[in-house]
Each structure stands twice: as C-alpha cells, then as structure tokens.
Amino acid sequence: MALAKIVYASMTGNTEEMSEIIEEKLEDEGLEVEREECSDVDPDFFEDADICIVATYTYGDGDLPFEFEDFFEDLKGEDLSGKVFGVAGTGDKEYGEFYCQSARDFVEQFNQTGAKQGAQLVCIENNPEDEDIDLLQTFVEELAKSVE
Ligand SMILES: Cc1cc2nc3c(=O)[nH]c(=O)nc-3n(C[C@H](O)[C@H](O)[C@H](O)COP(=O)(O)O)c2cc1C
C-alpha cells in the first residue's frame, strides 16, 4: 500500500483542518497516511513516503511560518526522486500578490528534490468551505492516481 505523508503548520487551525481533510480523503482512496505538525518532524520525514504533502499558511507579507523555516531550508537538500509531491496552502486574498506565497515557495523547493508534482497547487482562503472541499478532493484524486 502506498504511503502518503503530510507535514503541516497551523497557527489558528485553518491549515490543520485542511490537512485533516486531506488525510481523510487519502484514506478513502485506500492509502496509508501519516500526518505530523512540522515542529515534530526531522528533515528526512519524507524518506519512506511515496506521496509527500506540505500544507502551510503564509505569514507576514508572503513569509513562511517561522516553525517551517528549518524544514523548508533542508528540503531542497533531500533526494526525493521517484516520489510525487503535492502542496496545499491557506491564505487570505487581502494580502494580494502574497496570497498563499509560502505554498508557492514550497512547490519551488520540492522542484529541487527530484520529486514530481502529482497534483496542482491548491490554495484556499482561510478555513475550508464546501467548494474548497471539492478542490481538496480533486487534489487527493490526482495524487492517488499518480502512484497507481
Ligand atoms: C499577521 C498575518 C499575516 C498574514 N500574511 C499573509 C500573507 O502574506 N499571505 C496570505 O495569503 N495570507 C496571510 N495571512 C493569512 C493566513 O495565512 C490565513 O488566515 C491562514 O489561513 C492561517 O492559517 P492557520 O489558521 O492554519 O494558522 C496572514 C495572517 C496574519 C494574521
């Protein structure tokens, strides 16, 4: 059974909620899932994963969550060849050009690891609503298909 690992950062709960939805949907697809908060993981977290998922909010003006900075820096040095990745972000469109910037930055970082993007980046505003849940469903289906 393929293993999907999710690492997330969440200050007020929106991204945590999104990561829980992703977890549930991956399980519905028959995948094994492990989900951890970013402060609890080592840089090699994705070593045994088939699907590598980051869920992040954005802080400041387009800044990474402080607690994700070390993991982010270390990620580009990891060899994740043969794996697929997906990134999902929460943010607020009031921040204009910086909307979900951290999620977009993680896509760039994954692109240096040899992993292949298995699903389009998903950005949702604040907490997940009905239409976002549809987006997350598609995100998970694309990822599941990419490891079939
Ligand atoms: C001080 C502050 C700065 C923020 N900066 C951004 C930003 O640059 N871009 C963005 O898209 N959202 C920004 N946001 C919105 C949060 O990313 C958004 O509310 C997110 O869902 C919070 O996730 P969490 O509930 O998991 O902590 C900011 C929020 C706060 C409080």
Side-chain angles (χ1 to χ4, degrees):
M1 192 193 288
L3 173 63
K5 287 182 123 178
I6 307 167
V7 60
Y8 71 93
S10 186
M11 193 168 50
T12 61
N14 296 335
T15 318
E16 182 173 22
E17 190 181 337
M18 179 176 72
S19 73
E20 285 167 356
I21 295 168
I22 294 170
E23 179 179 31
E24 274 170 32
K25 293 195 177 298
L26 286 163
E27 285 171 352
D28 290 347
E29 294 288 330
L31 294 162
E32 190 184 337
V33 189
E34 198 179 314
R35 186 175 61 89
E36 299 283 355
E37 206 274 326
C38 65
S39 309
D40 297 333
V41 303
D42 294 324
D44 65 355
F45 177 64
F46 289 132
E47 197 171 83
D48 58 346
D50 302 293
I51 301 177
C52 314
I53 299 170
V54 163
T56 185
Y57 66 96
T58 299
Y59 205 58
D61 281 329
D63 297 340
L64 280 178
F66 170 74
E67 64 274 27
F68 237 150
E69 282 178 0
D70 288 346
F71 187 86
F72 179 87
E73 265 316 302
D74 291 333
L75 184 62
K76 65 173 186 288
E78 295 290 310
D79 178 7
L80 303 180
S81 321
K83 304 179 190 296
V84 298
F85 75 85
V87 180
T90 72
D92 193 324
K93 286 189 177 157
E94 292 208 344
Y95 289 86
E97 63 178 306
F98 299 120
Y99 179 55
C100 282
Q101 182 65 49
S102 297
R104 288 184 277 127
D105 290 344
F106 262 109
V107 172
E108 293 301 311
Q109 209 74 342
F110 266 122
N111 279 334
Q112 298 179 58
T113 65
K116 271 181 58 182
Q117 189 163 8
Q120 291 273 34
L121 169 69
V122 174
C123 292
I124 72 174
E125 267 206 281
N126 299 309
N127 61 311
E129 312 233 348
D130 285 353
E131 73 263 22
D132 303 315
I133 290 171
D134 292 343
L135 289 178
L136 294 172
Q137 176 71 38
T138 306
F139 176 76
V140 164
E141 283 170 7
E142 285 177 16
L143 288 173
K145 216 172 275 170
S146 69
V147 293
E148 269 175 11

